[in-house]
């Protein structure tokens, strides 16, 4: 996004100590440090094109006066439903990104798992509305041998390497003396 000729304005919410140093200029504290009034602060925040935060980071008070066209939740299949629902309340539409065939939400309580807390909103919606699901077909992480295992066992043969460079990757390990 930032490399476009007309990049969007971005604001990052959350604790500044927990974000990458390259993101600090986009942090709400950096963007609003010269605001002289609460009204100026709110107006500046409302003018940004993209607000980025974690699902827990939605607790920032500025969000109480903001509404969004879209909310995109990454790794939504790893979130408990109640955690995922919070950010969705701030948008007219939402896009959930994830893969419920991989890691489910981490729920330690046996009782909570028995009550269905280990089923993500992502998985519930995929099951209820399979016609709106976009399936992963090209991946960039695994070589062809490893990809074929996942493709066959989990993805009904639909998963492929994105290109030949990915497909031919090998991990060369040094020989260790015993």
């Amino acid at each position: 996004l930032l490399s476009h000729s007309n990049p969007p304005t971005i604001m990052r919410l959350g604790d500044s100590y927990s974000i990458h140093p390259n993101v600090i200029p986009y942090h709400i504290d950096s963007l609003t440090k010269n605001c002289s009034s609460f009204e100026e602060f709110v107006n500046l925040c409302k003018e940004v094109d993209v607000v980025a935060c974690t699902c827990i980071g939605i607790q920032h008070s500025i969000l109480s006066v903001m509404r969004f066209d879209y909310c995109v939740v990454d790794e939504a299949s790893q979130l408990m439903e109640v955690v995922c629902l919070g950010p969705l309340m701030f948008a007219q539409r939402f896009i959930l990104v994830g893969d419920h065939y991989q890691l489910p939400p981490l729920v330690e309580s046996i009782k909570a798992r028995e009550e269905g807390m280990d089923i993500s909103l992502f998985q519930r919606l995929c099951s209820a509305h399979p016609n709106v699901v976009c399936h992963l077909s090209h991946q960039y992480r695994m070589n062809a041998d490893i990809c074929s295992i996942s493709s066959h066992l989990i993805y009904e043969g639909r998963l492929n390497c994105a290109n030949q460079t990915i497909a031919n990757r090998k991990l060369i390990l040094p020989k260790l003396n015993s």
Side-chain angles (χ1 to χ4, degrees):
L1 285 175
L2 297 177
S3 63
H4 291 161
S5 60
N6 188 18
T9 54
I10 299 171
M11 180 173 64
R12 173 66 160 90
L13 301 179
D15 294 321
S16 59
Y17 64 84
S18 65
I19 61 176
H20 193 279
N22 293 349
V23 180
I24 295 294
Y26 304 98
H27 189 266
I28 188 170
D29 293 342
S30 299
L31 295 174
T32 60
K33 67 183 172 191
N34 295 324
C35 291
S36 58
S37 69
F38 181 70
E39 183 178 347
E40 186 180 351
F41 171 83
V42 170
N43 288 338
L44 188 143
C45 291
K46 285 184 172 184
E47 289 176 8
V48 298
D49 298 312
V50 177
V51 175
C53 66
T54 65
C55 288
I56 303 303
I58 64 160
Q59 298 172 7
H60 196 286
S61 59
I62 191 61
L63 292 178
S64 66
V65 295
M66 297 179 75
R67 291 294 172 261
F68 303 96
D69 296 327
Y70 290 92
C71 174
V72 179
V73 180
D74 194 16
E75 301 294 356
S77 57
Q78 296 180 31
L79 299 173
M80 288 191 303
E81 189 169 357
V82 66
V83 174
C84 191
L85 284 172
L88 304 185
M89 299 300 162
F90 296 101
Q92 294 177 3
R93 295 177 180 90
F94 63 90
I95 300 167
L96 302 181
V97 180
D99 184 350
H100 60 284
Y101 296 118
Q102 293 183 24
L103 296 174
L106 177 61
V107 178
E108 294 183 11
S109 165
I110 294 170
K111 175 90 170 126
R113 281 195 303 269
E114 289 172 351
E115 296 293 326
M117 294 285 292
D118 61 337
I119 307 295
S120 66
L121 177 63
F122 184 93
Q123 184 174 350
R124 287 187 203 284
L125 291 176
C126 285
S127 297
H129 305 282
N131 57 317
V132 298
V133 174
C134 295
H135 293 279
L136 175 69
S137 60
H138 292 85
Q139 60 81 30
Y140 293 83
R141 295 181 180 178
M142 302 173 275
N143 70 19
D145 293 334
I146 297 171
C147 179
S148 68
I149 296 169
S150 295
S151 183
H152 176 73
L153 294 176
I154 300 169
Y155 298 100
E156 300 173 356
R158 294 186 311 249
L159 189 61
N160 299 293
C161 293
N163 57 50
Q164 281 307 114
T165 303
I166 303 293
N168 295 327
R169 278 189 181 156
K170 301 284 185 221
L171 177 62
I172 309 298
L173 298 174
K175 293 185 181 195
L176 303 175
N177 294 332
S178 300

